[in-house]
């Protein structure tokens, strides 16, 4: 996103310079609501009574903060603003840009969202800035409560300013509004005041739209200039220059800080991402190699990387819409496409009797990193939007369900207001029980494909008999060996923890792209038939675990991840190079056209000159 300061060059610094220098005493979000609210003097009470303003309820500014605490997670608030842009696809939106900018009044960082959707007319922007008002009644749109914009902006920063351009037939309007917790707190307001201004394009000129009195209009402009990052009406209007045709821009400033005085959002560690500074980046895993793989996995990175989280935020891949983060498109990832031995299970929830029959398809399979990593969980979407990523419907300590990942879209239940969970209704409780059963059934059926013993008792007996016939140590001695591996320096993540009388099936590292060869495949019809996924691991029938297998496979995974990152960096560099070359080509074409024009002029002048006599 091009920097905003093109419209901010006239900004001045210092406390007296405007909103950029006027900040709250407390810049930590979870502490910013702890203040004593000023009570209205009795004189103001009687003035309000005489003005006829007594017959309405007031909303205290403290409610803005209280309302925003519904977002426990900053990325949840960002997702709300992305949802608003995605909902505009039906109005022609093709892109939403998320980037940082600079508040030139105090040189602080701002978070900016910009889309090319339909924009909002003066009535629409007032509905957007009002509390609890929503016109989104479509079954496809994500927003529905009319609260997301207020909660999300106030969760990310103390102040936000909105610029929106709408084209409704022959009417083109420009509107902006200021939602400033800093202004309300510092001026000791006991009611939420949201100044908004409107303009229209008339005969090619920008003309103010005054709905009330001119005095009210001038007062709103003064508040916006005093408490926003902009110092003049001209600077405000310049913000519409890069909103071509129609669209909306939201700038959030006075961003919240952590207890250490650093911004909660980290813009510095990765210039192509926005990170959460205080999210736990430590990971599980037995060895250093495994920890590195875990740290690269999407289930871990989504906690603190906005690029990772937004890559799986929407279930279906967009056809003509992109999320541009820090100047680079977000590559969408379909989790279901990343699974191996995938299976589709149909679930029909028991909804109300007068409702239509609902059928939900659940994609379930093993994570492609199985069996090395124990990543598992269900990814539950609602109306295309991710609500619960890698939801652990089974307990962490059980080996059942290890490495099993599922994906489903549950439109028959309602999400919570922060869209990071679901309402705990009987429908949701039944869904949780069903998903738990789906994972257990899948595990019982296919766990042998990633190196575990068959759970079926008959197949297990066949396995033990095969071990005895082959002359290998019995279960007890193998169990001691397994225990030694668990307590020694080299721990195997493949060892079952639930079934004490089961030993692990031997594995042999056969390189990438090897096929599964399961013990009992020819003996038991319930075992997986031939022709399995080619990205699986060989499972030997001798019952002996190669002690170097885990480390070898870990190193192989790390090499693949490293290679992937290198290719991504190369691809990014190539895209930049292509862009630069295209710019150079356009510049060369322009120069050639200019030279051709100059040459044509000179030829004309030469032809007009009289011949020498």
């Amino acid at each position: 996103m091009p920097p905003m300061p093109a419209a901010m060059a006239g900004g001045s610094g210092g406390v007296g310079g405007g909103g950029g220098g006027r900040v709250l005493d407390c810049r930590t979000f979870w502490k910013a609501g702890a203040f004593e609210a000023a009570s209205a003097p009795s004189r103001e009470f009687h003035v309000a009574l005489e003005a006829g303003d007594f017959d309405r309820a007031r909303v205290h500014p403290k409610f803005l903060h209280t309302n925003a605490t519904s977002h426990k997670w900053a990325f949840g608030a960002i997702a709300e603003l992305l949802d608003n842009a995605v909902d505009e696809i039906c109005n022609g939106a093709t892109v939403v840009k998320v980037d940082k900018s600079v508040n030139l009044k105090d040189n602080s960082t701002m978070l900016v969202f910009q889309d090319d959707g339909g924009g909002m007319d003066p009535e629409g922007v007032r509905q957007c800035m009002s509390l609890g008002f929503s016109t989104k009644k479509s079954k496809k749109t994500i927003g529905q409560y009319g609260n997301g914009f207020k909660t999300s902006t106030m969760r990310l920063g103390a102040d936000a300013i909105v610029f929106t351009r709408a084209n409704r037939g022959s009417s083109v309007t420009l509107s902006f509004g200021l939602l400033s917790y800093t202004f309300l707190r510092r001026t000791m307001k006991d009611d939420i005041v949201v100044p908004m201004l409107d303009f229209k394009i008339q005969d090619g000129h920008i003309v103010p739209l005054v709905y009330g009195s001119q005095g009210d209009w001038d007062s709103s402009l003064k508040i916006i200039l005093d408490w926003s990052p902009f110092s003049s009406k001209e600077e405000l209007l310049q913000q519409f220059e890069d909103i071509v045709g129609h669209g909306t821009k939201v700038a959030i400033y006075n961003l919240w800080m952590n207890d250490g005085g650093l911004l909660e959002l980290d813009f510095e560690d990765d210039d192509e991402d926005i990170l959460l500074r205080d999210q736990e980046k430590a990971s599980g895993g037995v060895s250093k190699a495994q920890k590195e793989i875990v740290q690269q996995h999407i289930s871990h990175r989504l906690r603190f990387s906005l690029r990772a989280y937004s890559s799986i935020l929407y279930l279906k891949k967009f056809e003509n819409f992109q999320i541009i983060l820090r100047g680079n498109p977000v590559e969408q990832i379909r989790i279901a496409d990343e699974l191996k031995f995938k299976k589709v299970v149909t679930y029909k929830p028991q909804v109300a009797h007068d409702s239509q029959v609902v059928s939900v398809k659940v994609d379930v399979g093993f994570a492609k990193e199985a069996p090395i990593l124990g990543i598992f969980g269900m990814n539950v979407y609602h109306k295309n939007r991710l609500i619960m990523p890698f939801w652990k419907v089974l307990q962490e300590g059980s080996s059942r369900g290890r490495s099993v990942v599922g994906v489903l879209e549950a439109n028959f239940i309602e999400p919570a207001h922060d869209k990071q969970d679901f309402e705990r209704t009987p429908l949701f409780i039944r869904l949780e029980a069903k998903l738990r059963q789906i994972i257990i059934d899948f595990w019982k059926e296919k766990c042998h494909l990633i190196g575990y013993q068959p759970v079926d008792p008959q197949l297990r007996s066949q396995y033990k008999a095969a071990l005895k016939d082959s002359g290998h140590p019995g279960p007890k001695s193998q169990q001691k060996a397994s225990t030694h591996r668990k307590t020694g320096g080299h721990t195997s993540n493949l060892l079952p923890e639930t079934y004490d009388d089961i030993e692990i099936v031997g594995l042999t590292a056969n390189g990438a792209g090897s096929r599964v060869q399961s013990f009992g495949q020819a003996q038991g019809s319930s075992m997986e038939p031939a022709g399995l996924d080619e990205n699986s691991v060989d499972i030997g029938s001798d019952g002996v675990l190669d002690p170097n297998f885990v480390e070898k496979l870990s190193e192989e995974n790390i090499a693949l991840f490293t290679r992937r990152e290198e290719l991504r960096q190369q691809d990014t560099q190539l895209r930049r190079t292509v862009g630069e070359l295209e710019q150079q080509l356009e510049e060369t074409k322009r120069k050639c056209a200019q030279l051709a024009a100059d040459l044509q002029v000179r030829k004309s002048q030469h032809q007009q000159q009289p011949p020498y006599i």
Side-chain angles (χ1 to χ4, degrees), residues 281-320:
K281 297 187 181 182
S283 58
V286 177
S287 63
K288 179 180 178 182
Q290 288 176 318
K291 288 182 179 179
E292 291 179 358
I293 298 175
V294 171
Q295 289 174 349
Q296 290 296 324
H297 196 270
I298 190 74
S299 64
H300 178 72
R301 292 175 55 242
L302 65 83
R303 304 175 192 171
F304 57 87
S305 165
L306 181 59
R307 183 168 292 275
Y309 177 56
S310 57
S311 70
I312 63 171
L313 187 58
Y314 301 101
L315 178 62
K316 302 177 182 67
K317 289 190 175 181
F318 300 120
E319 295 182 359
N320 300 306

Side-chain angles (χ1 to χ4, degrees), residues 4 8 18-24 27 101-106 108-112 153-163 177-183 195 223-230 236 250-256 263:
M4 293 180 66
M8 301 163 59
R22 302 182 181 185
V23 296
L24 294 172
R27 291 293 304 280
S101 188
V102 179
N103 180 347
L104 292 187
K105 281 186 176 179
D106 61 2
S108 63
T109 299
M110 300 192 298
L111 178 62
V112 183
T153 52
M154 294 296 97
R155 173 61 184 85
L156 297 169
D159 310 285
I161 186 168
V162 180
F163 301 87
L178 178 70
L179 185 63
S180 175
Y181 188 55
T182 303
F183 157 65
I223 293 173
I224 292 175
L225 295 181
D226 284 347
W227 296 92
S228 79
F230 308 97
L236 290 167
V250 179
I252 305 171
Y253 56 103
N254 285 333
L255 300 175
W256 297 117
L263 288 181

Side-chain angles (χ1 to χ4, degrees), residues 11-13 24 63 70 72 91 93 142 146 148 164 224 229 235-236 242 285 534 577 588:
S12 59
L24 294 172
F63 177 74
S70 63
K72 303 297 186 292
N91 294 321
I142 303 164
T164 184
I224 292 175
E235 289 184 12
L236 290 167
D242 61 344
E534 62 179 5
T577 303
T588 304

Side-chain angles (χ1 to χ4, degrees), residues 340-343 364-366 442 446 449 516 532-533 536:
K340 58 185 181 183
F341 306 120
K342 187 171 69 173
K343 178 180 181 180
V364 60
F366 288 114
F442 180 84
K446 297 180 181 292
L449 300 178
V516 173
L532 298 173
D533 191 299
S536 307

Side-chain angles (χ1 to χ4, degrees), residues 34 245 417:
H417 283 261

Side-chain angles (χ1 to χ4, degrees), residues 248-467:
T248 301
K249 180 191 297 184
V250 179
I252 305 171
Y253 56 103
N254 285 333
L255 300 175
W256 297 117
M257 297 180 175
N258 62 12
D259 291 337
L262 300 174
L263 288 181
E264 185 180 20
L265 298 176
D266 180 4
F267 298 89
E268 308 302 327
D269 283 356
D270 190 337
D271 58 4
E272 295 184 357
D273 201 355
I274 297 176
L275 307 177
L276 278 182
R277 193 181 302 276
D278 293 331
Q279 287 295 310
E280 179 62 45
K281 297 187 181 182
S283 58
V286 177
S287 63
K288 179 180 178 182
Q290 288 176 318
K291 288 182 179 179
E292 291 179 358
I293 298 175
V294 171
Q295 289 174 349
Q296 290 296 324
H297 196 270
I298 190 74
S299 64
H300 178 72
R301 292 175 55 242
L302 65 83
R303 304 175 192 171
F304 57 87
S305 165
L306 181 59
R307 183 168 292 275
Y309 177 56
S310 57
S311 70
I312 63 171
L313 187 58
Y314 301 101
L315 178 62
K316 302 177 182 67
K317 289 190 175 181
F318 300 120
E319 295 182 359
N320 300 306
F321 184 85
Q322 278 190 323
I323 300 173
I324 307 294
L325 177 59
R326 305 292 300 274
N328 291 291
V330 172
E331 179 185 354
Q332 283 189 272
I333 297 174
R334 291 191 74 251
I335 300 174
D337 294 341
E338 303 289 313
L339 305 179
K340 58 185 181 183
F341 306 120
K342 187 171 69 173
K343 178 180 181 180
V344 179
V345 180
T346 301
Y347 168 54
K348 294 183 178 180
Q350 299 176 2
V351 295
H353 295 293
D354 56 347
S355 302
Q356 295 180 349
V357 176
V358 177
S359 180
V360 179
K361 290 185 177 181
V362 182
D363 291 298
V364 60
F366 288 114
K368 62 183 180 181
E369 295 83 4
I372 295 301
L373 301 181
I375 297 162
F376 67 98
M378 283 288 177
N379 296 272
V380 189
Y381 289 78
H382 177 81
K383 293 183 179 179
N384 196 45
R385 157 78 137 78
L386 179 62
I387 305 298
M388 299 178 70
F390 294 92
W391 173 31
K392 294 177 173 56
V393 295
L394 292 178
Q395 294 182 353
E396 290 267 8
S398 173
S399 64
R400 293 188 302 173
R402 182 182 178 83
S403 300
V404 178
V405 176
V407 181
L408 71 149
E409 186 176 27
N411 294 337
F412 60 93
I413 51 179
E414 292 298 324
H417 283 261
D418 64 349
K419 297 188 180 72
Q420 299 296 311
D421 200 350
F422 287 97
E423 299 293 347
R424 300 285 165 168
T425 62
L427 266 178
F428 177 82
I429 295 172
R430 288 197 295 269
L431 173 64
E432 182 177 16
K434 181 63 178 180
L435 294 179
R436 185 182 299 114
Q437 190 60 48
I438 288 175
I439 291 177
I440 293 174
D441 291 344
F442 180 84
W443 171 260
K444 289 180 179 179
E445 180 184 352
K446 297 180 181 292
C447 67
H448 60 280
L449 300 178
I450 61 168
Y452 282 85
Q453 287 262 346
V455 178
D456 185 89
Q458 181 180 357
L459 297 176
R460 195 184 322 157
S461 300
Q462 293 174 356
Y463 170 74
K464 291 180 179 180
L467 284 180

